[in-house]
Amino acid sequence: MLKIAVDFDGTIVEDRYPSIGKPQLFAFETLKALQQQQHQLILWTVREGKALQEAVDFCKKHGVEFYAVNKNFPEEELEPGQSRKLNVDYFIDDRNIGGFLGWSRVWELLGNNPVEYTLPKKSFWEKLKDLMR
C-alpha cells in the first residue's frame, strides 16, 4: 500500500483557482483505481475554508473520497504555525519539475498494471528519467 498526496488545482482539475476547472482526462478513473488497490490518497492543496470544502465536495461527487485532507491522517490536529508537511510515498502535482505527467502516466507508474509485468522492471526513477528525455 502506498500513501499518495494529490494536488487539486492543475492536477485533478484544470487550474481555474479559485473556481473549479474541468476534471483532467482520466483523473477520477485513476484515483478510483488506485483506491481499489488499497492505496491511501490524501488531498494536498493550498485551498482552505470554503474553497477547500468545494474541492472536497467536487471530488466526492465524482466518486473519490480521500483518506485525509491536508493532513497525514484524519484525526491529526495541527497547532498554529505547525508545518503541514506530509509523510507520503509520492506527491502527484502539476508543480513537479517537468510539469504534470498526466493521469495515464501516473497509472503506468503507480498502478498495479498487468502490462508492466511483461516489460523489463525499471525503478520509478528510471521510468521518470525516461519520461524526461
Side-chain angles (χ1 to χ4, degrees):
M1 172 188 75
L2 297 172
K3 285 182 92 172
I4 305 168
V6 185
D7 181 39
F8 185 72
D9 297 290
T11 304
I12 295 175
V13 298
E14 294 174 352
D15 192 354
R16 300 283 183 262
Y17 183 82
S19 298
I20 294 179
K22 293 189 299 188
Q24 297 277 19
L25 187 61
F26 302 125
F28 287 108
E29 295 84 353
T30 304
L31 292 170
K32 288 188 262 188
L34 290 170
Q35 284 182 321
Q36 288 173 350
Q37 292 180 355
Q38 306 305 309
H39 299 305
Q40 284 184 340
L41 302 182
I42 297 173
L43 183 62
W44 179 243
T45 178
V46 70
R47 287 175 176 257
E48 295 180 315
K50 181 181 177 201
L52 175 59
Q53 190 59 53
E54 289 171 348
V56 170
D57 292 344
F58 185 84
C59 291
K60 188 174 183 177
K61 177 181 158 192
H62 284 84
V64 174
E65 292 188 56
F66 292 91
Y67 168 70
V69 177
N70 288 341
K71 299 177 180 183
N72 285 294
F73 51 91
E75 302 81 17
E76 183 177 38
E77 294 292 330
L78 299 176
E79 300 293 325
Q82 184 179 354
S83 171
R84 289 187 347 185
K85 181 132 177 125
L86 293 181
N87 180 21
V88 298
D89 298 300
Y90 295 106
F91 288 86
I92 301 174
D93 196 323
D94 62 315
R95 302 294 175 126
N96 294 320
I97 294 175
F100 180 56
L101 302 174
W103 285 102
S104 59
R105 284 301 278 158
V106 168
W107 178 246
E108 287 178 39
L109 293 169
L110 298 180
N112 237 349
N113 190 335
V115 174
E116 262 195 287
Y117 294 128
T118 63
L119 301 174
K121 295 288 182 186
K122 289 186 178 183
S123 74
F124 171 79
W125 298 110
E126 290 171 316
K127 292 176 187 179
L128 188 58
K129 192 161 83 173
D130 289 345
L131 285 174
M132 302 303 283
R133 291 185 189 161

